Amino acid sequence: MDAAEFRRRGKEMVDYVADYLENIEKRPVYPDVEPGYLRSLIPTEAPLEPESYEDVIKDVERVIMPGITHWHSPYFFAYFPAASSYPAMLADMLCGALGCIGFSWAHSSVERAALIGGVMMKQVPADNSYAVRVDMLKKMMEEDKAAGLIPFYFCATLGTTPSCAFDHIVELGPLCNEENIWMHIDAAYAGSAFICPEFRPLLNGVEFADSFNFNPHKWLLVNFDCSAMWVKKRTDIIGAFKMEPLYLKHENQESGRSHWQIPLGRRFRSLKLWFVFRLYGLQGLQAHIRKQVALAKEFESLVRADKRFEICAEVIMGLVCFRLKGSNELNQNLLKRITDSREIHLVPCQLSGRFVLRFAICARTTESSHIQQAWRHITQLTFELLQEPSH
């Protein structure tokens, strides 16, 4: 969908929404369907090729609306108000377009969870590729048990934030299973790339995991927020969060819909996934992933061709970790110049005690020309920095 079609479809969607709200009282306020009614109405996989927008919109009425409780119907008198207004809807549309992520503490989530849960958390040492291997984990577990501690949870990462490293879950999974340790796999960024067959080997060992999550809002063309999580045994989650106040009791409550998370409510996030999957198709989403990986490889080649710089971690997906050969202070000064220029935006990480610059391919609209311009800008700032007497 290009800008011209977006303009046209956007106006159509505004009309659809206005018509829906103006006539909402004509719809049954409560659906007459059973849990699982959708299974026979939608395919088990995303389409290979893009589908037409007209077909998707037709299916909103055919597939989605029969299962909707119309919270904004004048005949809805349950719970408390779920506020809605035309100005708020317009602002929500703008919010989605701006796509700003308001960082607070949206990061270091495992460490934060340990603090909230009141449990001790330890970081497992990584190998030279910044990945965790089984011997490291086993040694730490044995030391902890000898000290009277009980290891019960391990968070493996596929595509770490600093360097996009991949833990060896084929090795780690069997150990966790043997020791009755819950193994969670965090694939927040890289998980989207597993739709491409060439990246699937990095997922080997996932069968040992107890839970797995990734964020379509990072690399699958779905705007924030949208995070997907799987668990091997649904009863582990439903049982942990099960609460049954009278006002939430209903005839289908054993389906577990109320017990999957700590918050009581959530947005209808799956709808935007459904739109994206159908209007891009698997091939379109794969093309997006592959294009951004190719752009990262292009930037890597530019860095490698300049002897003043070095690559600090293997470039597997859309992240390039690089730095000027020299001190941490030198690289900190370079990043400060980059930030102050406001032409491109990078953030750093620390790898093996070294201050490293991260160059992540992020925007859907990034092209080779942007990569080339960014590199020219970096090298110009580098030239100016190295001309100063202190360097």
Side-chain angles (χ1 to χ4, degrees):
M1 182 180 291
D2 58 17
E5 184 179 4
F6 175 71
R7 291 176 190 274
R8 185 170 77 256
R9 300 305 188 187
K11 292 169 184 173
E12 292 174 3
M13 182 59 78
V14 168
D15 286 339
Y16 179 88
V17 170
D19 289 343
Y20 165 74
L21 292 174
E22 283 190 324
N23 297 285
I24 193 170
E25 65 182 76
K26 298 176 182 176
R27 295 177 183 263
V29 65
Y30 193 76
D32 183 23
V33 296
E34 298 292 325
Y37 87 96
L38 271 175
R39 290 190 184 278
S40 63
L41 299 178
I42 58 176
T44 57
E45 298 179 349
L48 186 62
E49 298 180 350
E51 298 183 359
S52 73
Y53 183 82
E54 287 79 8
D55 285 343
V56 176
I57 289 298
K58 286 177 185 175
D59 279 352
V60 170
E61 287 294 337
R62 183 182 72 88
V63 176
I64 303 298
M65 286 302 183
I68 293 291
T69 295
H70 299 281
W71 284 62
H72 302 299
S73 167
Y75 297 111
F76 185 92
F77 301 109
Y79 311 115
F80 284 124
S84 174
S85 67
Y86 290 120
M89 283 182 251
L90 291 175
D92 232 3
M93 188 174 182
L94 179 58
C95 178
L98 293 174
C100 293
I101 310 300
F103 278 160
S104 54
W105 56 279
H107 239 283
S108 304
S109 56
V110 177
E111 292 92 332
R112 299 278 182 173
L115 290 172
I116 293 169
V119 297
M120 182 188 303
M121 192 206 78
K122 293 186 175 181
Q123 293 186 342
V124 184
D127 63 14
N128 292 334
S129 63
Y130 308 109
V132 173
R133 304 200 70 114
V134 70
D135 56 338
M136 307 168 187
L137 179 61
K138 187 172 184 179
K139 181 176 182 292
M140 181 173 280
M141 284 170 46
E142 290 171 349
E143 292 173 349
D144 284 348
K145 287 192 289 185
L149 300 174
I150 303 174
F152 67 93
Y153 174 89
F154 172 66
C155 182
T157 305
L158 297 180
T160 61
T161 301
S163 64
C164 198
F166 291 79
D167 291 339
H168 298 268
I169 57 175
V170 172
E171 305 173 0
L172 298 163
L175 175 63
C176 290
N177 289 179
E178 290 167 13
E179 297 287 339
N180 196 29
I181 290 176
W182 184 290
M183 185 172 82
H184 174 67
I185 295 178
D186 179 357
Y189 162 68
S192 297
F194 298 141
I195 65 171
C196 300
E198 63 267 33
F199 293 122
R200 288 303 293 271
L202 294 167
L203 192 58
N204 289 346
V206 69
E207 65 273 15
F208 298 111
D210 295 285
S211 53
F212 175 96
N213 87 281
F214 84 106
N215 302 144
H217 67 239
K218 281 191 170 71
W219 210 8
L220 212 56
L221 296 172
V222 178
N223 61 297
F224 186 83
D225 59 335
C226 185
S227 185
M229 178 172 170
W230 287 262
V231 289
K232 183 171 288 184
K233 293 190 300 181
R234 69 200 304 261
T235 52
D236 289 331
I237 298 296
I238 295 172
F241 293 141
K242 191 168 185 178
M243 296 290 291
E244 296 183 328
L246 182 61
Y247 54 81
L248 291 182
K249 286 184 181 290
H250 53 88
E251 61 184 7
N252 296 310
Q253 66 188 44
E254 291 310 310
S255 67
R257 74 178 187 187
S258 303
H259 309 303
W260 278 98
Q261 60 183 16
I262 295 174
L264 177 60
R266 64 186 184 276
R267 289 164 56 85
F268 192 179
R269 300 182 185 95
S270 57
L271 189 60
K272 54 189 175 185
L273 272 171
W274 191 58
F275 267 57
V276 169
F277 286 175
R278 294 190 65 179
L279 293 174
Y280 273 88
L282 180 59
Q283 289 181 342
L285 294 171
Q286 288 173 333
H288 169 68
I289 298 288
R290 288 165 177 157
K291 175 184 175 181
Q292 295 212 325
V293 172
L295 290 173
K297 290 292 186 181
E298 179 181 348
F299 184 79
E300 178 192 15
S301 68
L302 293 171
V303 175
R304 290 191 182 279
D306 191 320
K307 300 304 181 184
R308 298 172 297 178
F309 290 87
E310 59 182 331
I311 296 293
C312 303
E314 183 182 2
V315 179
I316 300 175
M317 294 191 177
L319 174 67
V320 182
C321 294
F322 73 108
R323 72 194 300 273
L324 268 172
K325 293 176 181 176
S327 67
N328 284 345
E329 181 184 6
L330 179 65
N331 283 277
Q332 289 167 352
N333 289 337
L334 175 57
L335 181 60
K336 186 177 188 309
R337 287 172 180 257
I338 291 172
T339 301
D340 290 346
S341 73
R342 301 198 303 276
E343 185 167 322
I344 64 173
H345 186 46
L346 307 180
V347 294
C349 68
Q350 182 171 293
L351 299 176
S352 302
R354 298 187 300 170
F355 187 90
V356 172
L357 280 64
R358 296 171 70 264
F359 188 96
I361 311 300
C362 296
R364 175 180 56 85
T365 53
T366 300
E367 301 287 349
S368 176
S369 60
H370 303 109
I371 302 299
Q372 297 290 333
Q373 176 57 30
W375 180 243
R376 285 194 294 270
H377 184 63
I378 290 170
T379 54
Q380 177 60 36
L381 293 177
T382 299
F383 175 78
E384 295 171 3
L385 175 63
L386 294 178
Q387 291 303 303
E388 293 183 352
S390 60
H391 301 295

